[in-house]
Every structure is written in structure tokens, then in C-alpha cells.
Amino acid sequence: MMKKNKEQTAMENLSTILHKNTVPPIQEDLRKQHLQQLCREADSMDICGQQSFVEQILTQVNYLSRPIWLIQAGFLGMLFYCTWRKEIYSVQALLMLLAPCLTLILLYEISKSFGKDMWELEASCRYNLQHIFAIRLCALSGIDLITLTASLIAFRISGGVLWEFALYLLLPFFLMSSICLQILRKAGNRCSFFSLSAVALLGSYAFIPLKAFISTCQITFLQTAFQKCVCIATLAALFCFIYSMAALCMNKQSESMTLNADI
Amino acid sequence: MQDDEIIKRIRRGEKTLFGELADKYYDDVFRYCYYRTGDEQAAYDCTQETFLHLMRYLDSYTERRQFKAYLLRIALNVCRDYYRKSGRDPLSYEDLEELPGDASPEQPIEDRLLVQKGLSFLPGFQQEVIILYFYQGYKLREIAHITGVSLPTVKSRLRQGMDKLRIFFRKEGIWNDEKK
């Protein structure tokens, strides 16, 4: 108790002494001059406002490669042509081709940042890399969503059923993208885009024998069970895909730098 | 108008409000910079620099209702930068121990200068804590937030800074143990 009182007295004592050091009165003319100068600076400077989510997406969309748009537009064009001609087998074949392509497009865009150590450059800009990854993945997922919806419409018009659509396109796309994103997360720039492409292509086409099996299988019970399994697996793959994207963004957080905070 | 509202409007493009914001906090920032640098001209320069930094990095302000703390954190960094650029180093603790005792109260040295001298003996990180605690009236937790260190570190820096100041003031004869 006594020690505490002593400490308090010492603190008060020190406070009294320190407050003898008074600040000289601020020169009003100098203050006014400084404030005017600051106002002029503020007028000429581009003070950055916070961008809305849509603005951020649109900014990042500008950085996406042109082949992404061309490939997807080409696929959709072919898909609609085949649907119009009522060629269900061509639609199925196109969907099977589209699954690895979508994965490759996604991986190509993301692996660019890893392969060329772009994160260092990006991290020194306005947002940290985690943010840029998230926005870029959102933009790419948005484009994929449009392609998938259009493909689904085309597939349904040409007489296909939902589980087949999941087997041809959704399951390979979600599953292979998740696997490749995880590889990218673990291996970083040690893993080239070409090796990832090989994994995506081989993985996607491993689903073809499954389709052949179900077409030739005559047991109804097995067919129903298989259809259910495809639907569940697709949902699970979708969650894995979302998790992989989030994990990839979080993974780079430790490496990111927000230089503007380090004034 | 609340600070956050002003900042929101500046970000939206009402740049004239920046003057209002600077006018509101100019004195506080100047006071901090003066205590930290001990030089009037340097304090004006650092204050100006602080607001320029604020202008440049206003979009990175995300802390709600803690604008003054955010501004002081910038001022703190600007003052550190000032020391780095000017090459001024505070004297070490050993220098303080070796100072000749001058217990004569009649010595015609202004107390203000003496206190400033005492502060300048402290290392920058202790000086910051002492200024924020005694002059700006911040609580230890808030100081930890401003300086970006943990609460125990702030406590230890405050304790060490106070001990050094006590030794200095005792040697200069302005410390009275019986004083209340």
C-alpha cells in the first residue's frame, strides 16, 4: 500500500515537473499559412476513395487476359450452335472439353502471380495480395458462372439431364480446380503452369470411363445410386473449390505487405 | 460533424473539408511534435509533414472513431523519420549517469529547457510513451495501440523512462522527493 502511494507521489511529482515544459504559443500566421498550403495540396492531390466491390471487380477484369474471353465465347458459340442443331452428343463432347478448359483458364491467371513473383509488385500497390487474389478469383468465378449457366441451359434444351451435366462439367471442373489450387498453394512458384495443366487434363478425362460404365450398366439400382453419388460428389467438390480459393488467398497473407501503412 | 463523416466526404471528393480536419487537429499534432523534437521549427515542419502523409494515405484509414490516435501514429512515425534524417541521437543512459550534478536551485536555467533536455536524454521509444502518457493523457492501452507494441512493453518503457527522468531531475536539483 505504502509502495503504491510512493509510486503515485513520484508520478505526480514527475507530472508536475514535466508540465513545466510548456509549448510555445503557435504562431497564428504560420499556422494559417500551413493550413492554406495543405488545402492547396489537397486540391491538387488525388485523394483515393475506397472503391466499391463492383468497381474493384471491374478494375481487376481489365487485367484478365484476352484469351479467356475468346475461349469462353468460342465454346459458348459452339454450344449454342450444337443445341440449335439438336446434336446432343456434340453438346456432351463439348462439355467434356469445357471442364478442363475452365480449370486451365483459372489456373493460368492465378499461376501468373506465383510464377513471376508478381505478388511482390502487387503487394506494394494499393491493396495487399490477399485482396487482389480474392477479387481476381471472384471475377473469374463470375465469368465461369455465366459460362456454366449458359452451358446448363444449352444442355437442358438439347435434352440432357442434370446429373449428366454435373458429371460432364461440374464435377471435373470443381474437383480438378480444387486439386490444382491446393497444389499451387503448397508448391507456389516451384510448380509450373504446364505441370498443373497436365494434372487438370488427365484428371478431367478420368471421368470419361465413368460415363461409359453407367451407359453400359444394365442394373437400375446401381445406376440410381451412381446418379446420387455424382450429385453428392459435385456438391462436395464445390465446397472444396470454395475452400481452396479461400485458402489460397489466406496463404499469401503472410507474404503480403501493406507498404502504405508503414509510413 | 464527426471525423469519420468528414473523412467519408473527403474520400467522396469534397477536398475542401481536409482544411477543416487539419485545422481541428493542428494544435494537438504540433504539441506532440514539439515535445518529441524539442525544437519549434522542427515541430512546425513535422506537423506539416504529418498532414501531408495523412492526405496521401487517407484511404488506408479504417479505424472507426479513432482518428486522433491514427493521426498521432502518423506524427510519431514522422518524428522518428525526422530523427533518422537529422542524425540526432538521444544520449545514452550511461551519459546520464556521468552528468555532473547541479543541485543548486538558484541556477538560472529555465525549467522548461531543463525538462526538454531531460526528455531529449531518453531513447525515442521511451520518449514517445512519456509524451503520450503525461502530455497527451492517453491510457496505457491506447498508447500500446498508437505505438504498435504490447501493453507490457509500454509499461516497461514508461517505467524505464520515468526512472531515467527521475535521476536526471534529481541531478539537476528540481526533483523533490517530499513534494506532493
Side-chain angles (χ1 to χ4, degrees), chain B residues 3-147:
Chain B
D3 294 339
D4 287 343
E5 179 59 28
I6 296 177
I7 291 163
K8 206 184 278 177
R9 286 174 64 174
I10 294 172
R11 280 170 173 169
R12 269 194 233 127
E14 289 182 55
K15 292 176 183 175
T16 44
L17 287 175
F18 190 84
E20 196 180 302
L21 198 67
D23 187 36
K24 190 174 174 185
Y25 289 106
Y26 191 91
D27 296 2
D28 288 324
V29 175
F30 176 80
R31 222 170 287 141
Y32 175 81
C33 293
Y34 177 76
Y35 287 129
R36 184 72 171 89
T37 57
D39 181 79
E40 197 178 342
Q41 194 49 50
Y44 278 114
D45 290 346
C46 288
T47 307
Q48 187 77 340
E49 197 62 26
T50 301
F51 284 107
L52 285 173
H53 273 290
L54 171 72
M55 204 185 291
R56 218 167 292 152
Y57 304 114
L58 198 62
D59 66 320
S60 67
Y61 169 71
T62 49
E63 295 142 275
R64 301 275 171 265
R65 297 181 196 139
Q66 290 188 342
F67 179 71
K68 196 181 164 189
Y70 176 76
L71 193 60
L72 281 179
R73 202 183 314 151
I74 298 178
L76 187 133
N77 283 317
V78 167
C79 291
R80 281 180 192 171
D81 210 35
Y82 161 78
Y83 273 104
R84 237 194 326 258
K85 280 178 188 162
S86 66
R88 274 180 59 188
D89 277 325
L91 295 181
S92 68
Y93 187 70
E94 286 70 33
D95 296 330
L96 192 64
E97 292 280 290
E98 286 162 16
L99 269 180
D102 192 355
S104 157
E106 290 83 35
Q107 186 79 11
I109 302 173
E110 280 184 58
D111 285 349
R112 192 171 70 82
L113 290 175
L114 206 58
V115 175
Q116 195 63 57
K117 196 176 165 191
L119 280 172
S120 71
F121 278 124
L122 299 178
F125 55 88
Q126 287 171 8
Q127 216 184 84
E128 287 164 4
V129 175
I130 293 278
I131 292 169
L132 289 171
Y133 187 79
F134 286 102
Y135 292 117
Q136 304 279 343
Y138 277 105
K139 291 178 182 135
L140 294 177
R141 198 172 291 279
E142 292 167 324
I143 297 172
H145 178 67
I146 293 171
T147 52

Side-chain angles (χ1 to χ4, degrees), chain A residues 161-177:
Chain A
V161 285
L162 201 61
W163 75 269
E164 280 183 331
F165 181 74
L167 180 65
Y168 290 135
L169 185 61
L170 297 181
L171 186 57
F173 170 58
F174 289 144
L175 199 64
M176 294 327 295
S177 298

Side-chain angles (χ1 to χ4, degrees), chain A residues 13 18 27 31 34 45, chain B residues 15 23 26 44 116 135 176:
Chain A
N13 202 356
L18 284 173
Q27 298 168 32
R31 185 182 194 276
H34 278 180
M45 196 179 270
Chain B
K15 292 176 183 175
D23 187 36
Y26 191 91
Y44 278 114
Q116 195 63 57
Y135 292 117
N176 185 0

